[in-house]
Amino acid sequence: MSKKKEITKAKLDFKTDWAYAPAPEDSGHISLKKQYDLFINGEFVKPNSKKYFATYNPATEQKIAEIAEADEKDVDKAVKAARKAFEKWSKLSGKERGKYIFRIARLMQERAREFAVIETMDGGKSIRESRDIDVPLAANHFFYNAGWADKLEYAFPNRNPKPLGVVGQIIPWNFPLLMAAWKIAPALAAGNTVVLKPAETTSLTALKLAELIRDSGLPNGVVNIVTGAGKTGAAIVNHPDINKIAFTGSTDVGKLIQRSISGTNKKLTLELGGKAANIIFADAAIDQAVEGIVNGIFFNQGHVCCAGSRLFVQESVADIVIRKLKDRMETLIVGDPMDKNTDIGAINSKEQLLKINEYIKIGKNEGAEIYQSSCAIPSKGNFCRPTLFLDASQSHRIVQEEIFGPVLTVQTFRTIEEVIEKANNIPYGLSAGVWTDKGSKIFNLTNKLRAGVVWANTYNKFDPASPFGGYKESGFGREGGLHGLMPYLNL
Ligand code: NAP
Ligand code: MG
């Protein structure tokens, strides 16, 4: 708390169309420190190693701030604080816990503009998405779970719901604040205490959340936020006094975590990668479906685990769908994430941009026909044009592997049996989309697609009340809704 120096004071231009709960005391100022410490036991403390790493704005490549790197000793300190806090927190009545969680939700709404701007600066997503989706949804997760805190006995009748203890939570960089909310809100509502690690490239909104939590008066040690890279995450996973690990990230790291906790008593939920089929039938409303394809793959630069990254179009409408899709792609604006007209912001990191470009090369070598929108992209920063691979086939790596960028593969199909088989023939099983005028087809498909979430005539719709999670290599356990509380309770 020593260096309270503000390095950025941005006046924003979207005051008038601010859609979500503008607060009277929202100053419109963005307060950022030059250096961020670890949030342990209700205060910001220096890391044991005294090491800091830089976080950058991926659109400008400018350094924003320095972030503390937590080692095993710091993680141990955080777990001890959480263990001590658990004694009191778990004994509070659900009604009291709920009051604290409601307060966090309210404070987040009041500071929504600041959260949105920092999310966009640090991660590269368009300000429209941070403002209209990430931040309001994050607040909604706290509201929703606050409501359950005093109703757990009714939600799980005759099952004597009890919290697990100290939970370790590790989150990725694609929805930094939202993933923190998905994790922290149900854990607290269930009576657990938390040690959370955000991703290395996007720690800032989690640290702003730490400030907000401190201001909310939540008892010290109930939420601890430790920053760092993979090693810090591993220290949480391997700490002997953690009762549960909740991880969202890549399938590779998920497998590693599962291996390293096997043989312990730790509980585990894994939300991993995806490669969703977005299926367009000939009887679909074509223009709506094209909007759904665009939203499915280009939302958040395609850095979305449930992105509709494999398009299946019924052969008889393939030509018209692809023509309309190309036309629509030409209208997408790629560029400055802080401009509210921007549709596709910056790729989160240099590393991720390299990975996407590598897959684009692989796709070309595999023989699929590439189409990229002709839009201008900034010469500086990490940007990628929206990209299609036409005539992709099931055996292509670009069809089988998660790219996590604005790249869509296109395949055609004739019959419903064929598309079900192709959609399921993949290691992942997180989500899918179906576009058709026929309800019977929707019901038929939703039962046969091996995916945790299936959207019908819409895509990428999220709500705190609906459970989210995968099958197969997309992980196990659910987040959101009542199902999302279960992994935080002994029932
Ligand atoms: P990642 O590399 O697996 O990282 C996820 C988190 O784990 C980060 O905080 C990371 O730290 C940390 N980590 C890395 N190595 C670790 C280790 N050995 N032990 C413990 N923690 C470790 O994934 P990402 O690249 O950040 O995120 C993209 C992936 O997440 C995609 O595959 C995407 O599909 C998936 N995802 C899934 C969902 C879902 O709900 N199913 C939601 C969002 C994203 P550092 O980043 O600091 O190294
Ligand atoms: Mg950054």
Side-chain angles (χ1 to χ4, degrees):
M1 274 300 293
S2 53
K3 284 184 189 151
K4 244 196 158 174
K5 204 165 166 190
E6 292 192 346
I7 58 168
T8 313
K9 280 193 174 192
K11 281 261 186 288
L12 297 171
D13 63 347
F14 50 74
K15 274 193 177 121
T16 46
D17 59 1
W18 184 251
Y20 290 87
E25 64 265 46
D26 191 329
S27 62
H29 284 162
I30 310 307
S31 140
L32 273 172
K33 294 185 285 184
K34 279 188 169 162
Q35 198 175 68
Y36 281 88
D37 290 321
L38 307 170
F39 184 66
I40 298 176
N41 204 26
E43 51 179 10
F44 285 93
V45 296
K46 300 256 171 256
N48 170 57
S49 66
K50 311 218 165 35
K51 280 192 200 152
Y52 291 82
F53 59 91
T55 191
Y56 296 91
N57 180 330
T60 62
E61 300 178 56
Q62 272 165 356
K63 180 170 150 182
I64 309 173
E66 286 184 345
I67 313 284
E69 189 180 314
D71 64 13
E72 280 154 1
K73 284 196 176 147
D74 300 305
V75 168
D76 184 55
K77 208 160 138 188
V79 173
K80 286 199 169 103
R83 176 62 58 196
K84 191 159 166 243
F86 179 70
E87 298 309 319
K88 284 192 183 158
W89 180 248
S90 59
K91 291 192 183 78
L92 276 189
S93 68
K95 194 173 163 195
E96 283 304 307
R97 284 203 312 276
K99 275 192 210 165
Y100 283 108
I101 306 168
F102 271 125
R103 202 176 299 152
I104 293 171
R106 288 287 309 273
L107 282 171
M108 191 175 285
Q109 286 188 320
E110 286 168 8
R111 299 178 194 181
R113 180 184 293 135
E114 186 178 20
F115 273 103
V117 169
I118 294 174
E119 195 73 314
T120 285
M121 281 173 72
D122 200 22
K125 65 177 68 202
S126 78
I127 188 70
R128 229 173 42 214
E129 287 175 8
S130 304
R131 180 193 66 180
D132 296 347
I133 297 169
D134 292 52
V135 179
L137 248 184
N140 276 344
H141 274 269
F142 283 103
F143 274 120
Y144 175 80
N145 283 287
W148 279 122
D150 63 348
K151 299 172 195 72
L152 296 173
E153 271 155 34
Y154 304 97
F156 305 104
N158 304 319
R159 294 181 73 182
N160 193 24
K162 289 273 177 285
L164 302 175
V166 178
V167 303
Q169 306 183 318
I170 300 165
I171 57 173
W173 44 258
N174 57 343
F175 293 92
L177 179 70
L178 185 58
M179 288 299 116
W182 276 34
K183 294 267 180 290
I184 295 173
L188 297 191
N192 303 282
T193 57
V194 167
V195 177
L196 175 131
K197 188 195 96 65
E200 196 181 351
T201 58
T202 54
S203 304
L204 282 177
T205 44
L207 291 160
K208 293 305 287 186
L209 176 60
E211 291 178 359
L212 181 156
I213 283 172
R214 183 197 55 197
D215 299 349
S216 76
L218 187 78
N220 292 345
V222 173
V223 173
N224 305 274
I225 294 179
V226 291
T227 43
K231 253 179 101 179
T232 311
I236 297 176
V237 170
N238 295 323
H239 195 288
D241 200 30
I242 292 261
N243 300 97
K244 178 205 159 67
I245 295 290
F247 172 79
T248 299
S250 62
T251 296
D252 285 347
V253 175
K255 286 180 180 174
L256 221 116
I257 291 176
Q258 191 170 18
R259 249 178 268 138
S260 54
I261 72 161
S262 67
T264 72
N265 274 333
K266 290 170 193 166
K267 289 194 190 292
L268 178 66
T269 41
L270 296 175
E271 300 278 359
L272 309 176
K275 189 81 179 177
N278 202 2
I279 303 168
I280 319 296
F281 284 97
D283 60 10
I286 299 293
D287 287 335
Q288 260 180 45
V290 168
E291 287 308 303
I293 297 166
V294 167
N295 173 40
I297 185 63
F298 301 127
F299 167 58
N300 201 34
Q301 298 76 244
H303 302 329
V304 183
C305 48
C306 52
S309 51
R310 290 184 296 150
L311 177 64
F312 288 95
V313 192
Q314 202 157 24
E315 215 171 75
S316 56
V317 290
D319 286 348
I320 184 168
V321 169
I322 290 163
R323 180 171 56 76
K324 287 191 177 221
L325 177 59
K326 286 178 174 173
D327 287 349
R328 181 68 176 90
M329 280 165 68
E330 283 299 318
T331 68
L332 295 174
I333 300 171
V334 182
D336 180 6
M338 290 297 280
D339 184 334
K340 67 182 176 195
N341 295 310
T342 293
D343 298 299
I344 302 180
I347 300 301
N348 183 265
S349 65
K350 271 251 135 40
E351 208 185 352
Q352 186 61 23
L353 183 59
L354 283 174
K355 182 182 154 189
I356 296 167
N357 286 336
E358 186 56 35
Y359 271 109
I360 291 178
K361 228 192 272 168
I362 291 169
K364 285 182 191 164
N365 289 338
E366 286 177 320
E369 181 196 330
I370 188 170
Y371 173 83
Q372 290 187 303
S373 109
S374 63
C375 64
I377 57 172
S379 55
K380 214 171 167 209
N382 312 329
F383 292 93
C384 179
R385 285 198 176 82
T387 303
L388 295 183
F389 276 109
L390 303 163
D391 300 325
S393 76
Q394 200 66 19
S395 62
H396 284 165
R397 281 183 64 192
I398 51 168
V399 168
Q400 290 290 328
E401 296 172 21
E402 186 183 47
I403 300 173
F404 225 55
V407 180
L408 178 67
T409 60
V410 184
Q411 294 170 266
T412 56
F413 68 95
R414 286 187 185 167
T415 66
I416 192 163
E417 291 77 20
E418 178 192 352
V419 77
I420 291 169
E421 195 183 319
K422 283 183 172 165
N424 286 337
N425 184 10
I426 190 117
Y428 296 109
L430 189 58
S431 58
V434 182
W435 299 81
T436 168
D437 234 10
K438 274 218 158 55
S440 57
K441 237 185 246 165
I442 293 171
F443 287 120
N444 185 4
L445 271 165
T446 44
N447 284 321
K448 290 181 181 147
L449 289 172
R450 197 74 183 136
V453 181
V454 183
W455 284 290
N457 294 327
T458 185
Y459 207 93
N460 276 337
K461 283 269 183 289
F462 305 99
D463 190 284
S466 70
F468 184 93
Y471 292 107
K472 303 196 280 187
E473 295 208 2
S474 294
F476 49 79
R478 294 292 178 264
E479 292 189 303
L482 258 192
H483 293 77
L485 280 160
M486 287 158 110
Y488 289 104
L489 289 166
N490 256 322
L491 292 169

